[in-house]
mmCIF file of all heavy atoms in Angstrom:
data_model
loop_
_atom_site.group_PDB
_atom_site.id
_atom_site.type_symbol
_atom_site.label_atom_id
_atom_site.label_comp_id
_atom_site.label_asym_id
_atom_site.label_seq_id
_atom_site.Cartn_x
_atom_site.Cartn_y
_atom_site.Cartn_z
ATOM 1 N N VAL A 1 31.579 227.917 236.218
ATOM 2 C CA VAL A 1 31.102 227.642 234.870
ATOM 3 C C VAL A 1 29.759 228.356 234.701
ATOM 4 O O VAL A 1 28.785 228.036 235.395
ATOM 5 C CB VAL A 1 30.941 226.137 234.608
ATOM 6 C CG1 VAL A 1 30.472 225.890 233.177
ATOM 7 C CG2 VAL A 1 32.262 225.403 234.872
ATOM 8 N N LEU A 2 29.730 229.312 233.788
ATOM 9 C CA LEU A 2 28.531 230.110 233.557
ATOM 10 C C LEU A 2 27.876 229.727 232.236
ATOM 11 O O LEU A 2 28.566 229.530 231.226
ATOM 12 C CB LEU A 2 28.867 231.601 233.506
ATOM 13 C CG LEU A 2 29.483 232.226 234.755
ATOM 14 C CD1 LEU A 2 29.730 233.715 234.507
ATOM 15 C CD2 LEU A 2 28.596 232.031 235.981
ATOM 16 N N GLY A 3 26.567 229.644 232.235
ATOM 17 C CA GLY A 3 25.801 229.565 231.003
ATOM 18 C C GLY A 3 25.322 230.964 230.662
ATOM 19 O O GLY A 3 24.711 231.641 231.506
ATOM 20 N N LEU A 4 25.616 231.429 229.468
ATOM 21 C CA LEU A 4 25.333 232.814 229.092
ATOM 22 C C LEU A 4 24.258 232.883 228.013
ATOM 23 O O LEU A 4 24.000 231.918 227.300
ATOM 24 C CB LEU A 4 26.614 233.502 228.624
ATOM 25 C CG LEU A 4 27.732 233.562 229.675
ATOM 26 C CD1 LEU A 4 28.958 234.252 229.093
ATOM 27 C CD2 LEU A 4 27.270 234.270 230.944
ATOM 28 N N ALA A 5 23.642 234.048 227.920
ATOM 29 C CA ALA A 5 22.546 234.287 226.990
ATOM 30 C C ALA A 5 22.814 235.580 226.225
ATOM 31 O O ALA A 5 23.733 236.337 226.554
ATOM 32 C CB ALA A 5 21.222 234.380 227.749
ATOM 33 N N THR A 6 22.006 235.836 225.216
ATOM 34 C CA THR A 6 22.155 237.038 224.405
ATOM 35 C C THR A 6 20.809 237.766 224.351
ATOM 36 O O THR A 6 19.812 237.311 224.888
ATOM 37 C CB THR A 6 22.612 236.687 222.979
ATOM 38 O OG1 THR A 6 21.704 235.729 222.434
ATOM 39 C CG2 THR A 6 24.018 236.104 222.975
ATOM 40 N N GLY A 7 20.811 238.923 223.703
ATOM 41 C CA GLY A 7 19.587 239.697 223.566
ATOM 42 C C GLY A 7 19.685 241.034 224.269
ATOM 43 O O GLY A 7 20.609 241.288 225.060
ATOM 44 N N ARG A 8 18.729 241.880 224.018
ATOM 45 C CA ARG A 8 18.764 243.241 224.556
ATOM 46 C C ARG A 8 18.744 243.258 226.085
ATOM 47 O O ARG A 8 19.394 244.084 226.707
ATOM 48 C CB ARG A 8 17.590 244.043 223.995
ATOM 49 C CG ARG A 8 17.750 244.386 222.511
ATOM 50 C CD ARG A 8 16.605 245.246 222.008
ATOM 51 N NE ARG A 8 15.331 244.531 222.037
ATOM 52 C CZ ARG A 8 14.897 243.744 221.055
ATOM 53 N NH1 ARG A 8 15.654 243.543 219.979
ATOM 54 N NH2 ARG A 8 13.725 243.140 221.135
ATOM 55 N N THR A 9 17.996 242.335 226.692
ATOM 56 C CA THR A 9 17.932 242.299 228.150
ATOM 57 C C THR A 9 19.300 242.050 228.759
ATOM 58 O O THR A 9 19.612 242.570 229.839
ATOM 59 C CB THR A 9 16.950 241.200 228.607
ATOM 60 O OG1 THR A 9 15.672 241.447 228.028
ATOM 61 C CG2 THR A 9 16.816 241.172 230.125
ATOM 62 N N MET A 10 20.132 241.279 228.084
ATOM 63 C CA MET A 10 21.437 240.907 228.628
ATOM 64 C C MET A 10 22.469 242.026 228.513
ATOM 65 O O MET A 10 23.459 242.028 229.243
ATOM 66 C CB MET A 10 21.963 239.656 227.922
ATOM 67 C CG MET A 10 20.996 238.477 227.978
ATOM 68 S SD MET A 10 20.537 238.047 229.669
ATOM 69 C CE MET A 10 18.910 237.347 229.415
ATOM 70 N N GLU A 11 22.259 242.964 227.622
ATOM 71 C CA GLU A 11 23.276 243.993 227.378
ATOM 72 C C GLU A 11 23.565 244.816 228.625
ATOM 73 O O GLU A 11 24.716 245.117 228.933
ATOM 74 C CB GLU A 11 22.850 244.872 226.203
ATOM 75 C CG GLU A 11 22.855 244.112 224.882
ATOM 76 C CD GLU A 11 22.301 244.906 223.722
ATOM 77 O OE1 GLU A 11 22.131 246.143 223.867
ATOM 78 O OE2 GLU A 11 22.018 244.303 222.663
ATOM 79 N N GLY A 12 22.520 245.184 229.369
ATOM 80 C CA GLY A 12 22.733 245.937 230.595
ATOM 81 C C GLY A 12 23.448 245.117 231.653
ATOM 82 O O GLY A 12 24.266 245.648 232.423
ATOM 83 N N ILE A 13 23.146 243.829 231.708
ATOM 84 C CA ILE A 13 23.818 242.950 232.663
ATOM 85 C C ILE A 13 25.302 242.866 232.347
ATOM 86 O O ILE A 13 26.163 243.016 233.229
ATOM 87 C CB ILE A 13 23.175 241.547 232.639
ATOM 88 C CG1 ILE A 13 21.703 241.624 233.037
ATOM 89 C CG2 ILE A 13 23.951 240.583 233.543
ATOM 90 C CD1 ILE A 13 20.941 240.326 232.843
ATOM 91 N N TYR A 14 25.628 242.638 231.087
ATOM 92 C CA TYR A 14 27.030 242.514 230.706
ATOM 93 C C TYR A 14 27.784 243.831 230.893
ATOM 94 O O TYR A 14 28.958 243.829 231.276
ATOM 95 C CB TYR A 14 27.139 242.019 229.266
ATOM 96 C CG TYR A 14 26.633 240.607 229.076
ATOM 97 C CD1 TYR A 14 26.077 240.192 227.870
ATOM 98 C CD2 TYR A 14 26.707 239.671 230.108
ATOM 99 C CE1 TYR A 14 25.607 238.885 227.698
ATOM 100 C CE2 TYR A 14 26.250 238.375 229.947
ATOM 101 C CZ TYR A 14 25.700 237.986 228.742
ATOM 102 O OH TYR A 14 25.235 236.704 228.581
ATOM 103 N N ALA A 15 27.129 244.945 230.648
ATOM 104 C CA ALA A 15 27.777 246.248 230.862
ATOM 105 C C ALA A 15 28.162 246.412 232.330
ATOM 106 O O ALA A 15 29.249 246.933 232.647
ATOM 107 C CB ALA A 15 26.854 247.373 230.420
ATOM 108 N N ARG A 16 27.319 245.962 233.226
ATOM 109 C CA ARG A 16 27.604 246.093 234.653
ATOM 110 C C ARG A 16 28.685 245.116 235.091
ATOM 111 O O ARG A 16 29.510 245.453 235.958
ATOM 112 C CB ARG A 16 26.311 245.901 235.452
ATOM 113 C CG ARG A 16 25.400 247.134 235.364
ATOM 114 C CD ARG A 16 23.943 246.806 235.620
ATOM 115 N NE ARG A 16 23.111 248.000 235.612
ATOM 116 C CZ ARG A 16 22.687 248.609 234.495
ATOM 117 N NH1 ARG A 16 23.029 248.130 233.296
ATOM 118 N NH2 ARG A 16 21.945 249.695 234.578
ATOM 119 N N LEU A 17 28.707 243.917 234.515
ATOM 120 C CA LEU A 17 29.793 242.987 234.824
ATOM 121 C C LEU A 17 31.134 243.531 234.320
ATOM 122 O O LEU A 17 32.153 243.425 235.017
ATOM 123 C CB LEU A 17 29.503 241.628 234.193
ATOM 124 C CG LEU A 17 28.330 240.843 234.781
ATOM 125 C CD1 LEU A 17 28.050 239.595 233.952
ATOM 126 C CD2 LEU A 17 28.586 240.462 236.240
ATOM 127 N N ALA A 18 31.126 244.108 233.121
ATOM 128 C CA ALA A 18 32.353 244.699 232.578
ATOM 129 C C ALA A 18 32.823 245.857 233.451
ATOM 130 O O ALA A 18 34.029 246.024 233.686
ATOM 131 C CB ALA A 18 32.111 245.167 231.145
ATOM 132 N N GLN A 19 31.889 246.649 233.932
ATOM 133 C CA GLN A 19 32.242 247.773 234.801
ATOM 134 C C GLN A 19 32.855 247.278 236.112
ATOM 135 O O GLN A 19 33.851 247.841 236.590
ATOM 136 C CB GLN A 19 31.004 248.616 235.084
ATOM 137 C CG GLN A 19 31.289 249.848 235.942
ATOM 138 C CD GLN A 19 30.038 250.657 236.203
ATOM 139 O OE1 GLN A 19 28.974 250.112 236.488
ATOM 140 N NE2 GLN A 19 30.148 251.975 236.100
ATOM 141 N N ALA A 20 32.283 246.211 236.674
ATOM 142 C CA ALA A 20 32.836 245.659 237.909
ATOM 143 C C ALA A 20 34.260 245.151 237.686
ATOM 144 O O ALA A 20 35.140 245.331 238.542
ATOM 145 C CB ALA A 20 31.944 244.532 238.420
ATOM 146 N N HIS A 21 34.492 244.524 236.538
ATOM 147 C CA HIS A 21 35.854 244.074 236.233
ATOM 148 C C HIS A 21 36.800 245.266 236.099
ATOM 149 O O HIS A 21 37.914 245.251 236.639
ATOM 150 C CB HIS A 21 35.868 243.259 234.940
ATOM 151 C CG HIS A 21 37.243 242.958 234.458
ATOM 152 N ND1 HIS A 21 38.085 242.082 235.092
ATOM 153 C CD2 HIS A 21 37.953 243.464 233.403
ATOM 154 C CE1 HIS A 21 39.241 242.039 234.460
ATOM 155 N NE2 HIS A 21 39.186 242.866 233.435
ATOM 156 N N GLU A 22 36.355 246.303 235.413
ATOM 157 C CA GLU A 22 37.198 247.495 235.226
ATOM 158 C C GLU A 22 37.544 248.140 236.567
ATOM 159 O O GLU A 22 38.651 248.652 236.754
ATOM 160 C CB GLU A 22 36.477 248.500 234.331
ATOM 161 C CG GLU A 22 37.298 249.729 233.999
ATOM 162 C CD GLU A 22 36.566 250.699 233.084
ATOM 163 O OE1 GLU A 22 35.392 250.441 232.750
ATOM 164 O OE2 GLU A 22 37.169 251.729 232.733
ATOM 165 N N GLN A 23 36.621 248.072 237.499
ATOM 166 C CA GLN A 23 36.847 248.655 238.818
ATOM 167 C C GLN A 23 37.674 247.749 239.723
ATOM 168 O O GLN A 23 37.986 248.116 240.857
ATOM 169 C CB GLN A 23 35.503 248.959 239.482
ATOM 170 C CG GLN A 23 34.723 250.063 238.775
ATOM 171 C CD GLN A 23 33.297 250.201 239.291
ATOM 172 O OE1 GLN A 23 32.778 249.308 239.982
ATOM 173 N NE2 GLN A 23 32.648 251.304 238.972
ATOM 174 N N GLY A 24 38.022 246.557 239.234
ATOM 175 C CA GLY A 24 38.879 245.652 239.971
ATOM 176 C C GLY A 24 38.169 244.782 240.991
ATOM 177 O O GLY A 24 38.814 244.155 241.840
ATOM 178 N N THR A 25 36.845 244.694 240.903
ATOM 179 C CA THR A 25 36.088 243.923 241.890
ATOM 180 C C THR A 25 35.598 242.576 241.356
ATOM 181 O O THR A 25 34.961 241.834 242.096
ATOM 182 C CB THR A 25 34.873 244.725 242.390
ATOM 183 O OG1 THR A 25 34.010 245.022 241.279
ATOM 184 C CG2 THR A 25 35.318 246.034 243.038
ATOM 185 N N LEU A 26 35.894 242.262 240.093
ATOM 186 C CA LEU A 26 35.395 241.021 239.508
ATOM 187 C C LEU A 26 36.435 240.434 238.565
ATOM 188 O O LEU A 26 36.859 241.087 237.604
ATOM 189 C CB LEU A 26 34.088 241.282 238.759
ATOM 190 C CG LEU A 26 33.321 240.054 238.235
ATOM 191 C CD1 LEU A 26 33.015 239.085 239.357
ATOM 192 C CD2 LEU A 26 32.036 240.494 237.542
ATOM 193 N N ASP A 27 36.825 239.194 238.833
ATOM 194 C CA ASP A 27 37.872 238.506 238.081
ATOM 195 C C ASP A 27 37.254 237.368 237.261
ATOM 196 O O ASP A 27 36.614 236.479 237.809
ATOM 197 C CB ASP A 27 38.901 237.950 239.062
ATOM 198 C CG ASP A 27 40.033 237.205 238.392
ATOM 199 O OD1 ASP A 27 40.207 237.344 237.161
ATOM 200 O OD2 ASP A 27 40.760 236.467 239.094
ATOM 201 N N PHE A 28 37.455 237.415 235.948
ATOM 202 C CA PHE A 28 36.934 236.388 235.052
ATOM 203 C C PHE A 28 38.000 235.380 234.641
ATOM 204 O O PHE A 28 37.737 234.527 233.799
ATOM 205 C CB PHE A 28 36.374 237.037 233.783
ATOM 206 C CG PHE A 28 34.995 237.622 233.925
ATOM 207 C CD1 PHE A 28 34.811 238.875 234.485
ATOM 208 C CD2 PHE A 28 33.876 236.920 233.502
ATOM 209 C CE1 PHE A 28 33.546 239.429 234.615
ATOM 210 C CE2 PHE A 28 32.605 237.452 233.625
ATOM 211 C CZ PHE A 28 32.438 238.706 234.188
ATOM 212 N N SER A 29 39.187 235.438 235.202
ATOM 213 C CA SER A 29 40.304 234.654 234.678
ATOM 214 C C SER A 29 40.081 233.140 234.792
ATOM 215 O O SER A 29 40.653 232.380 234.006
ATOM 216 C CB SER A 29 41.608 235.044 235.378
ATOM 217 O OG SER A 29 41.536 234.770 236.770
ATOM 218 N N CYS A 30 39.275 232.695 235.756
ATOM 219 C CA CYS A 30 39.033 231.268 235.915
ATOM 220 C C CYS A 30 37.634 230.851 235.468
ATOM 221 O O CYS A 30 37.218 229.711 235.685
ATOM 222 C CB CYS A 30 39.236 230.867 237.377
ATOM 223 S SG CYS A 30 40.957 230.982 237.905
ATOM 224 N N VAL A 31 36.911 231.765 234.814
ATOM 225 C CA VAL A 31 35.545 231.474 234.380
ATOM 226 C C VAL A 31 35.555 230.688 233.071
ATOM 227 O O VAL A 31 36.310 231.005 232.142
ATOM 228 C CB VAL A 31 34.742 232.779 234.190
ATOM 229 C CG1 VAL A 31 33.392 232.510 233.517
ATOM 230 C CG2 VAL A 31 34.542 233.476 235.532
ATOM 231 N N THR A 32 34.706 229.668 233.005
ATOM 232 C CA THR A 32 34.383 228.977 231.762
ATOM 233 C C THR A 32 32.955 229.326 231.410
ATOM 234 O O THR A 32 32.089 229.395 232.288
ATOM 235 C CB THR A 32 34.522 227.461 231.927
ATOM 236 O OG1 THR A 32 35.890 227.144 232.220
ATOM 237 C CG2 THR A 32 34.096 226.712 230.670
ATOM 238 N N SER A 33 32.684 229.571 230.125
ATOM 239 C CA SER A 33 31.321 229.942 229.724
ATOM 240 C C SER A 33 30.828 229.081 228.572
ATOM 241 O O SER A 33 31.600 228.646 227.716
ATOM 242 C CB SER A 33 31.258 231.423 229.331
ATOM 243 O OG SER A 33 31.925 231.655 228.101
ATOM 244 N N PHE A 34 29.514 228.858 228.588
ATOM 245 C CA PHE A 34 28.813 228.173 227.505
ATOM 246 C C PHE A 34 27.575 228.994 227.157
ATOM 247 O O PHE A 34 26.735 229.254 228.028
ATOM 248 C CB PHE A 34 28.381 226.762 227.928
ATOM 249 C CG PHE A 34 29.510 225.799 228.094
ATOM 250 C CD1 PHE A 34 30.125 225.643 229.322
ATOM 251 C CD2 PHE A 34 29.958 225.049 227.012
ATOM 252 C CE1 PHE A 34 31.179 224.760 229.486
ATOM 253 C CE2 PHE A 34 31.011 224.164 227.160
ATOM 254 C CZ PHE A 34 31.629 224.014 228.395
ATOM 255 N N ASN A 35 27.477 229.400 225.908
ATOM 256 C CA ASN A 35 26.293 230.145 225.490
ATOM 257 C C ASN A 35 25.160 229.207 225.106
ATOM 258 O O ASN A 35 25.378 228.067 224.676
ATOM 259 C CB ASN A 35 26.608 231.072 224.325
ATOM 260 C CG ASN A 35 26.920 232.477 224.786
ATOM 261 O OD1 ASN A 35 27.988 232.724 225.350
ATOM 262 N ND2 ASN A 35 25.986 233.392 224.563
ATOM 263 N N LEU A 36 23.961 229.727 225.212
ATOM 264 C CA LEU A 36 22.771 228.933 224.937
ATOM 265 C C LEU A 36 22.643 228.515 223.485
ATOM 266 O O LEU A 36 22.213 227.399 223.190
ATOM 267 C CB LEU A 36 21.515 229.734 225.309
ATOM 268 C CG LEU A 36 21.175 229.855 226.783
ATOM 269 C CD1 LEU A 36 20.106 230.918 226.974
ATOM 270 C CD2 LEU A 36 20.673 228.510 227.315
#
């Protein structure tokens, strides 16, 4: 269960998480998220 945030600082973080998923090294299928 992840708590997520928004803003310019987060954009680079999310881009890298998306890249890891695209490369097959990160699975979000069981993740639950709550934004601030």
Side-chain angles (χ1 to χ4, degrees):
V1 181
L2 299 180
L4 300 179
T6 54
R8 289 183 294 274
T9 303
M10 305 304 152
E11 292 174 13
I13 299 171
Y14 294 150
R16 285 156 177 79
L17 292 173
Q19 182 180 43
H21 171 70
E22 184 179 3
Q23 293 170 345
T25 60
L26 188 56
D27 180 15
F28 280 81
S29 62
C30 292
V31 171
T32 297
S33 71
F34 290 91
N35 264 73
L36 284 167

